[in-house]
Amino acid sequence: MVIPVHDVNPVRRTPWVTYALIAANVLVFLSTPGMAGSVAGGSDLSQLCHLQAFLDHYAAVPRELIHHQMPQLVPTGAVQAGPGGPTCAAGPPGYDKSAPLSVFTAMFLHGSWIHLLGNMLFLMIFGNNVEDRMGHIRFTLFYVVCGYAAGYGFALLNDDSADPLIGASGAIAGVLGAYLVLYAKARVWVLVPFLLFLPLRLPAWLVLGFWFVLQAFYSSGEGVSDAGTVAYEAHVVGFLVGMLLAWPLKAGTPPPPEPRGLLFGRRARPRHTW
């Protein structure tokens, strides 16, 4: 509904962890079979088979996390002839997969350029301030804990699912929840697509609160046709956990330097860049 592009909330220190997480996500995406060239066109069957094998190895699977049911046959990455034509081959896994560790590796996997860039945009805008408030080490632990909470929360609600769970969305949702607690009155520049990308400067509580309400609504399966392909429950869990973990820091957090009111159009253009 809105696309955040900048927040008016300067930081005191360089957000090295946020930068490192973005770099790691981009590098992993470029290393994922078939993903680097996905913008130019569709992947062939060989690339799709390699992708299936890669995700089965490194993605989190709810059934594996909750019931510890590891599959006897997994994609091997090879192509074989089938009754209806060429298909991806399956065989016994040639590796020992750790279900708990897969939650961590899944945080760095993305299914498309849009998936990656959307997540990294939110992490860049909101992660730097949360890292600035928490410190580098505590922010790193916070990010991982939110990602694990989101992954296991989704798995508990979908314990029979064998579909791979990938993406940094759960951990980043925790960052958004923390930002809402710590900097609810900060102003965020957003673009509104249905208003011809009109720039608006809105309070963080409105931008992030609306985002959370949408995730909660979509998690029920209402309003979207692809509810089964997006882990909205993980977003909800990660957001709530992020709020809870950030709450003890709320009292000592200085307010952001932003005037009151809502501005839009030409009046909404920033006078300074950060």
Side-chain angles (χ1 to χ4, degrees), residues 10 17 57 63 88 115 135 154 156 160 168 170 176 181 187 237 249:
V17 175
H57 190 177
R63 184 182 298 172
C88 296
H115 188 199
F154 178 83
L156 285 171
D160 288 329
L176 303 186
V181 168
R187 292 301 191 266
V237 173
L249 300 176

Side-chain angles (χ1 to χ4, degrees), residues 11 33 65 74 110 120 135 140 152 193 214 240 244-245 253 263:
V11 296
L65 294 177
V74 298
H110 291 83
M120 296 306 100
T140 302
Y152 272 97
L214 282 180
L240 293 176
L244 290 174
L245 293 178
T253 302
L263 298 180

Side-chain angles (χ1 to χ4, degrees), residues 74-88:
V74 298
T76 63
V79 178
Q80 68 178 12
T87 185
C88 296

Side-chain angles (χ1 to χ4, degrees), residues 16 47 131 243 263 271:
W16 293 117
Q47 289 178 320
E131 179 182 352
M243 291 185 67
L263 298 180
R271 297 180 182 180

Side-chain angles (χ1 to χ4, degrees), residues 26-265:
V26 172
L27 289 174
V28 171
F29 183 82
L30 294 176
S31 302
T32 302
M35 287 299 179
S38 60
V39 172
S43 301
D44 58 26
L45 180 59
S46 177
Q47 289 178 320
L48 291 176
C49 292
H50 278 91
L51 177 60
Q52 286 185 12
F54 183 84
L55 294 181
D56 187 84
H57 190 177
Y58 295 106
V61 178
R63 184 182 298 172
E64 297 173 2
L65 294 177
I66 304 304
H67 301 298
H68 306 287
Q69 297 178 355
M70 309 306 289
Q72 299 298 314
L73 296 177
V74 298
T76 63
V79 178
Q80 68 178 12
T87 185
C88 296
Y95 50 83
D96 293 325
K97 181 178 181 180
S98 169
L101 182 59
S102 70
V103 179
F104 179 79
T105 56
M107 294 182 205
F108 297 91
L109 302 177
H110 291 83
S112 67
W113 279 103
I114 293 178
H115 188 199
L116 172 71
L117 295 178
N119 276 344
M120 296 306 100
L121 175 65
F122 275 80
L123 180 57
M124 173 64 77
I125 293 174
F126 300 106
N128 59 347
N129 292 104
V130 177
E131 179 182 352
D132 186 51
R133 181 65 182 90
M134 293 184 174
H136 304 311
I137 296 177
R138 186 158 49 174
F139 177 72
T140 302
L141 295 175
F142 167 84
Y143 184 89
V144 173
V145 168
C146 288
Y148 265 87
Y152 272 97
F154 178 83
L156 285 171
L157 296 172
N158 302 271
D159 61 312
D160 288 329
S161 174
D163 295 328
L165 177 65
I166 61 173
S169 305
I172 295 173
V175 173
L176 303 186
Y179 194 100
L180 179 61
V181 168
L182 300 174
Y183 303 106
K185 295 182 180 180
R187 292 301 191 266
V188 180
W189 291 90
V190 301
L191 300 177
V192 186
F194 69 88
L195 293 179
L196 301 178
F197 293 93
L198 177 72
L200 296 176
R201 189 177 68 188
L202 303 175
W205 66 262
L206 181 60
V207 176
L208 299 180
F210 184 62
W211 181 88
F212 176 75
V213 169
L214 282 180
Q215 304 309 301
F217 179 68
Y218 292 157
S219 67
S220 67
E222 300 293 335
V224 288
S225 59
D226 61 343
T229 63
V230 180
Y232 292 111
E233 297 96 329
H235 302 173
V236 172
V237 173
F239 191 93
L240 293 176
V241 170
M243 291 185 67
L244 290 174
L245 293 178
W247 199 266
L249 300 176
K250 178 178 173 62
T253 302
E258 174 61 22
R260 299 178 180 178
L262 303 180
L263 298 180
F264 59 90

